[in-house]
Amino acid sequence: MKLADLKAAGGFVPTAPVAREVEWKHGDETLAFTIHVKRHSFGTIEQLLSDKDDEKSRSAAYIAESILLGENGKEKLSYADAYALEPSLAAVFIRAINDVNGTGDSAKNSN
């Protein structure tokens, strides 16, 4: 296989975010809404998850670098916003990130 063949087959990450419908159960309410998830290359995922800054949450950084909000996905979460998320909402975001990027438990089960 040639490099051009890999590119043509989708072996490199496109830059366009992916819209995902998610549901967040909060108390007695279930909110359904659309988020936009950035696709990350292998190197970006590795860097985000192995950041050596012990003062920062890796998960909050991963969410901040991956989730876009708003009608067209133009609104970026800051690290501080991601860090302050309600834990069950953060879990919804992480599942969507893993789904779009082929990481996490769903990726293990699909091999």
Side-chain angles (χ1 to χ4, degrees), residues 6-17:
L6 281 177
K7 287 181 181 180
F12 293 85
V13 179
T15 58

Side-chain angles (χ1 to χ4, degrees), residues 54-105:
D54 291 334
E55 299 297 315
K56 282 186 133 181
S57 161
R58 288 184 187 113
S59 295
Y62 197 36
I63 291 170
E65 290 300 322
S66 302
I67 299 295
L68 299 167
L69 301 171
E71 189 174 318
N72 297 314
K74 301 292 183 195
E75 191 176 0
K76 188 176 184 319
L77 279 174
S78 69
Y79 170 81
D81 287 336
Y83 190 86
L85 286 172
E86 202 281 334
S88 64
L89 180 56
V92 168
F93 288 166
I94 292 288
R95 279 193 298 278
I97 296 165
N98 287 340
D99 180 46
V100 167
N101 285 287
T103 56
D105 290 338

Side-chain angles (χ1 to χ4, degrees), residues 3 9-10 15 23 31 78 90 104 107 110:
L3 181 59
T15 58
E23 286 187 356
L31 300 172
S78 69
S110 66

